[in-house]
Amino acid sequence: MAKKNAFYAQSGGVTAVINASACGVIETARKHKKDIGKVYAGHNGIIGALREELIDTSKETAKTIAALRHTPSGAFGSCRYKLKSLEENRAEYERLIEVFKAHNIGYFFYNGGGDSADTCLKISQLSETMGYPIQAIHVPKTVDNDLPFTDNCPGFGSVAKYVSVSIKEAALDVASMCDSSTKVFILEVMGRHAGWIAGASGLAAQEEGDAPHIILFPEIAFDKAKFLKKVKATVKKHGYCAIVASEGAQYKDGRFLADSGQVDAFGHTQLGGVAPTLATMIKDELGYKYHWAVADYLQRAARHIASATDVEQAYAVGQAAVEMALAGKNAVMPGIVRGKGKRYSWTIQESPLEKIANVEKMMPRDYISRDGFSITEKGRAYFEPLIQGEDYPPYKNGIPQYARLKKVMVPKQLKIPFKV
Amino acid sequence: MAKKNAFYAQSGGVTAVINASACGVIETARKHKKDIGKVYAGHNGIIGALREELIDTSKETAKTIAALRHTPSGAFGSCRYKLKSLEENRAEYERLIEVFKAHNIGYFFYNGGGDSADTCLKISQLSETMGYPIQAIHVPKTVDNDLPFTDNCPGFGSVAKYVSVSIKEAALDVASMCDSSTKVFILEVMGRHAGWIAGASGLAAQEEGDAPHIILFPEIAFDKAKFLKKVKATVKKHGYCAIVASEGAQYKDGRFLADSGQVDAFGHTQLGGVAPTLATMIKDELGYKYHWAVADYLQRAARHIASATDVEQAYAVGQAAVEMALAGKNAVMPGIVRGKGKRYSWTIQESPLEKIANVEKMMPRDYISRDGFSITEKGRAYFEPLIQGEDYPPYKNGIPQYARLKKVMVPKQLKIPFKV
């Protein structure tokens, strides 16, 4: 059998360590040159395959590929694009096969979350459905930490570290000023559906009285009176109150706090965040001076404060994906399995994609305290190992030196462009 | 002459390195025990002196004091409180002298910005105006970088590093998603009166096309049409546009962009930031999908990514302040002087406080490009040395270990409390 090339692509919201997975895939493939030809990376995810826009990673030096390990975001470009079913859009699948054929692609590595697992699963079925032989392996990635069959998702540990370090630092700021100035600080973090990220910020509290004093989870219906009472009591006790609010914090009826009915001077709905909404509420009801921050992309791009554990795991799932392909696997995902011992350990294990695609893993209720404002010891025990270790990028002139790819495109073989 | 004690206090908005200055003051004073007695730190700045709330730093171990060097924010508490003039509030000065006398204080170190320099100057005049012998030395600190007679202000370099690292990372995120998702990202940074912090973010751009593509300075009147044209052109050229906006960005008539006349459902003025205001503007006029972040306190508390140069300078001005006191100086401030050579170097030099208090140093116009959207080579040459080097705090369980003080209070000597 002629040696096949591999296709690798990044999908969905990027993370601080998705490129570490790319590094794991490419470096491992390079070690098996007699079995795997070239690794072509999709320019902007699966869209790159549809458009026949393939980046030839063999044109990048070993040094550049190694630098991917410490480079945040998606170096090859990512996308938000979900393949429809075969029945709904057969043309897309036919196009993919054309492109794969034209470039002799026999391995498909897709690096993404739940939606992407679905795309990967559909590709894995091409042998059966369309008669095109391909092995598709899903490489897990998502700051949302909501994939099943993996103890945690690469990308999450680094966001967790960022938010816990950030709330710790900002809270020290507020603590030092609260006597005559700001008394309440609110940090808004990601997590529209689940409170994994907000919950991880609880790691900042290492001693009694430490911030965050209040965490707002999407899982716990927001109760304004109870919240304000807690804020007031905290300010009374500690002099200040540091809050971490998930962007998905919501009322009992499912209405997001951020959707506060605010309008601008022209009557447009104001797309305000949770943090300013809470700040205004606190000011109006309790009169405290406040500050708020919205971390947004900073949190998931913050490679400068990545978790070393997260980086290692991101690399490892990339490496394992290639090894699974070499072992003849298809329609699987390498997941992280936590060891049973008291000391944290982890291994990689494969799981079937059909059980993973489109399944969202929610945070267990018992990770959240009874009053709904903090994490339990059980939650802490889950989160803590994931932020262990620092893995600093190299700096030049005070700025991190992230990989800059040449991105040499593979010459197109097909005559007809495909519109996506 | 009996050995005198020293009073040290932190004032105004805190920084990632103000405690490094405290460390410089205390460690240096400890080296001169035959000349300086104990160092008493004001609890919450000058308010601590007025209330006779003094923290006995001699009760802290050498290890804890050393840890201040890597601990952000004001470990002894800071305040926003400016002494009135002697004529306006003589009682305050009489109280200070009572407290100083009761605790045998002969040295006064005040760690702050322009307003604090004014307080320090007034204290330095107590010998003359009230007959109480004291030497007052101002220790410079402010993220605003607006003190005169110093090339830069301790605290600024670390914010500068934070914002340039953050916009670099977030821009990589946007770049990787822009084909099918977010095209514009806006990071709001501090600087109500001057664009020093916004300007420093320009360091993130190390090659043609790098972010930030647009910087909005308070010094440059905001021109909506010109701004939107630049955003559009940038998206056209690079596929995305990363913007850093100073919170002080304003229209020609001095109206802040953040003050956009937005009202909530109850008719209250919406205290929105510049970033969401610009985001809404871009969405309405150009239709681009956007994201925005407001760094707020995160930027000035971010000790985890402090500039090593900044940390060294913060320590050095603390050390120099004590040495100046020992040399018999009064009403002076140790400032940073930049060497003339091509390679960055700096020394400490004293300047008279009367020339410093209440004077704001503005950013030179020639640090900003002609079109007003970026920094010039001259600006870059100024900013770049200030973010050099990384000075990481120690970590435990994935979280930075910042100093925890015992804060043993000096027993009060005075019968009558003083209301502040």
Side-chain angles (χ1 to χ4, degrees), chain A residues 175-383:
Chain A
S176 65
M177 304 291 295
C178 65
D179 184 71
S180 58
S181 185
T182 304
K183 286 194 170 35
V184 175
F185 177 77
I186 305 151
L187 171 62
E188 175 174 334
V189 302
M190 287 179 161
R192 195 143 275 254
H193 305 295
W196 291 107
I197 295 175
S201 76
L203 294 176
Q206 296 186 312
E207 291 187 16
E208 168 65 22
D210 280 3
H213 305 107
I214 298 178
I215 303 174
L216 297 182
F217 301 89
E219 289 87 348
I220 307 293
F222 180 75
D223 177 333
K224 186 174 166 178
K226 196 176 154 196
F227 168 72
L228 290 170
K229 199 177 154 191
K230 175 87 176 169
V231 172
K232 199 175 168 182
T234 307
V235 171
K236 219 163 192 172
K237 189 169 177 190
H238 301 296
Y240 74 106
C241 180
I243 301 164
V244 172
S246 167
E247 62 179 346
Q250 51 196 265
Y251 291 100
K252 206 174 174 179
D253 62 7
R255 204 161 29 97
F256 287 119
L257 261 75
D259 179 15
S260 61
Q262 295 174 336
V263 289
D264 67 13
F266 309 99
H268 299 149
T269 297
Q270 162 68 5
L271 299 161
V274 175
T277 303
L278 290 168
T280 307
M281 186 186 291
I282 289 166
K283 176 77 182 167
D284 288 350
E285 305 277 345
L286 303 174
Y288 296 139
K289 194 182 168 195
Y290 62 80
H291 263 248
W292 53 267
V294 176
D296 195 65
Y297 285 168
L298 304 191
Q299 71 199 282
R300 72 180 198 193
R303 182 61 183 80
H304 74 272
I305 188 63
S307 151
T309 304
D310 193 29
V311 174
E312 276 169 43
Q313 293 179 339
Y315 185 92
V317 293
Q319 179 179 1
V322 174
E323 287 164 356
M324 287 175 188
L326 289 169
K329 309 283 178 166
N330 184 32
V332 294
M333 176 188 92
I336 296 154
V337 179
R338 189 182 290 230
K340 293 225 181 294
K342 212 175 170 189
R343 197 189 151 91
Y344 179 68
S345 64
W346 55 276
T347 50
I348 300 282
Q349 194 176 290
E350 74 175 60
S351 294
L353 259 190
E354 58 184 355
K355 289 193 178 171
I356 292 164
N358 302 310
V359 178
E360 219 173 351
K361 185 173 78 175
M362 299 309 286
M363 187 162 70
R365 177 60 181 86
D366 64 0
Y367 285 10
I368 305 175
S369 64
R370 194 173 292 184
D371 74 357
F373 289 136
S374 58
I375 55 170
T376 58
E377 280 311 307
K378 196 171 173 185
R380 175 177 293 275
Y382 170 78
F383 290 122

Side-chain angles (χ1 to χ4, degrees), chain B residues 354-367:
Chain B
E354 58 183 354
K355 288 192 177 169
I356 293 163
N358 303 309
V359 177
E360 219 174 353
K361 186 174 78 175
M362 299 308 289
M363 187 162 70
R365 178 60 181 86
D366 64 0
Y367 284 12

Side-chain angles (χ1 to χ4, degrees), chain A residues 12-15 44 47 51 71-75 77-80 161-162 164-170 172-177 179-182 185 187 190 203-204 206-207 210 260-265 268 270-273 276 280 284 289-298 300-305 384 387-390 392-393 395-402 404, chain B residues 12-15 44 47 51 71-75 77-80 161-162 164-170 172-177 179-182 185 187 190 203-204 206-207 210 260-265 268 270-273 276 280 284 289-298 300-305 384 387-390 392-393 395-402 404:
Chain A
V14 293
T15 79
N44 301 321
I47 290 176
R51 288 184 185 150
T71 300
S73 307
S78 184
C79 69
R80 295 206 180 276
K161 192 174 184 89
Y162 175 91
S164 44
V165 170
S166 294
I167 192 63
K168 180 168 201 79
E169 292 179 331
L172 288 176
D173 191 311
V174 184
S176 65
M177 304 291 295
D179 184 71
S180 58
S181 185
T182 304
F185 177 77
L187 171 62
M190 287 179 161
L203 294 176
Q206 296 186 312
E207 291 187 16
D210 280 3
S260 61
Q262 295 174 336
V263 289
D264 67 13
H268 299 149
Q270 162 68 5
L271 299 161
T280 307
D284 288 350
K289 194 182 168 195
Y290 62 80
H291 263 248
W292 53 267
V294 176
D296 195 65
Y297 285 168
L298 304 191
R300 72 180 198 193
R303 182 61 183 80
H304 74 272
I305 188 63
E384 202 164 67
I387 67 162
Q388 297 302 308
E390 295 69 50
Y392 299 119
Y395 281 72
K396 192 180 159 186
N397 289 327
I399 300 284
Q401 293 306 290
Y402 294 135
R404 290 184 190 266
Chain B
V14 294
T15 78
N44 301 321
I47 289 176
R51 289 183 186 152
T71 300
S73 307
S78 185
C79 69
R80 295 205 181 277
K161 191 173 185 89
Y162 174 91
S164 44
V165 170
S166 295
I167 192 64
K168 181 170 199 78
E169 292 180 331
L172 287 176
D173 190 311
V174 184
S176 65
M177 303 292 295
D179 184 70
S180 58
S181 185
T182 304
F185 176 76
L187 171 62
M190 287 180 160
L203 294 176
Q206 296 186 311
E207 290 187 17
D210 279 3
S260 60
Q262 294 174 337
V263 289
D264 66 15
H268 300 148
Q270 162 69 5
L271 299 162
T280 308
D284 288 350
K289 192 182 169 195
Y290 62 79
H291 263 247
W292 54 266
V294 175
D296 194 65
Y297 285 169
L298 305 190
R300 73 179 197 192
R303 183 60 182 80
H304 74 273
I305 187 63
E384 202 164 68
I387 68 163
Q388 297 303 307
E390 295 69 51
Y392 299 119
Y395 281 71
K396 192 179 162 188
N397 289 329
I399 300 286
Q401 293 306 290
Y402 293 135
R404 289 184 192 265

Side-chain angles (χ1 to χ4, degrees), chain B residues 300-358:
Chain B
R300 73 179 197 192
R303 183 60 182 80
H304 74 273
I305 187 63
S307 151
T309 303
D310 193 29
V311 175
E312 275 169 43
Q313 293 179 339
Y315 185 91
V317 293
Q319 180 179 1
V322 174
E323 287 164 355
M324 286 175 189
L326 289 170
K329 308 284 179 166
N330 184 32
V332 293
M333 177 188 91
I336 296 153
V337 179
R338 189 181 288 231
K340 295 226 179 292
K342 213 175 170 187
R343 197 188 153 91
Y344 179 67
S345 64
W346 56 276
T347 50
I348 301 282
Q349 194 175 290
E350 73 176 59
S351 294
L353 259 190
E354 58 183 354
K355 288 192 177 169
I356 293 163
N358 303 309

Side-chain angles (χ1 to χ4, degrees), chain B residues 10 17 19 43-44 58 62 66 68 90 117 121 149 168 185 215 222 243 247 286 298 319 337 344 363 369 398:
Chain B
Q10 303 177 319
V17 302
N19 287 329
H43 186 222
N44 301 321
S58 75
L68 286 174
R90 191 175 180 93
L121 178 63
F149 290 94
K168 181 170 199 78
F185 176 76
I215 302 175
F222 180 74
I243 300 165
E247 61 179 346
L286 303 174
L298 305 190
Q319 180 179 1
V337 179
Y344 179 67
M363 187 162 70
S369 64

Side-chain angles (χ1 to χ4, degrees), chain B residues 14-202:
Chain B
V14 294
T15 78
V17 302
I18 182 171
N19 287 329
S21 293
C23 180
V25 166
I26 298 167
E27 288 190 343
T28 310
R30 285 185 177 192
K31 278 183 195 151
H32 294 89
K33 280 191 178 153
K34 68 175 176 48
D35 300 305
I36 298 179
K38 292 183 172 180
V39 178
Y40 295 147
H43 186 222
N44 301 321
I46 192 73
I47 289 176
L50 289 166
R51 289 183 186 152
E52 203 194 355
E53 290 177 0
L54 307 177
I55 296 163
D56 188 350
T57 70
S58 75
K59 305 290 188 191
E60 310 290 346
T61 64
K63 201 176 157 189
T64 301
I65 297 301
L68 286 174
R69 190 178 165 118
H70 63 247
T71 300
S73 307
F76 303 102
S78 185
C79 69
R80 295 205 181 277
Y81 191 84
K82 198 171 169 176
L83 291 183
K84 293 215 172 68
S85 71
L86 190 59
E87 294 72 38
E88 282 176 287
N89 199 344
R90 191 175 180 93
E92 267 185 352
Y93 292 88
E94 284 168 350
R95 170 68 176 187
L96 285 176
I97 289 173
E98 270 187 293
V99 173
F100 292 165
K101 255 187 199 162
H103 297 282
N104 189 33
I105 286 164
Y107 307 100
F108 180 90
F109 301 104
Y110 210 43
N111 205 169
D115 281 352
S116 316
D118 179 74
T119 295
C120 193
L121 178 63
K122 281 167 181 155
I123 299 291
S124 76
Q125 295 160 342
L126 286 183
S127 321
E128 214 174 291
T129 55
M130 309 275 287
Y132 182 79
I134 196 160
Q135 289 169 248
I137 317 281
H138 190 62
V139 186
K141 166 246 59 165
T142 170
V143 296
D144 295 332
N145 205 38
D146 59 359
L147 284 169
F149 290 94
T150 186
D151 181 62
N152 59 288
C153 301
F156 172 69
S158 293
V159 182
K161 191 173 185 89
Y162 174 91
V163 298
S164 44
V165 170
S166 295
I167 192 64
K168 181 170 199 78
E169 292 180 331
L172 287 176
D173 190 311
V174 184
S176 65
M177 303 292 295
C178 65
D179 184 70
S180 58
S181 185
T182 304
K183 287 193 169 39
V184 174
F185 176 76
I186 305 152
L187 171 62
E188 176 174 333
V189 302
M190 287 180 160
R192 195 142 277 255
H193 304 295
W196 291 108
I197 296 175
S201 76

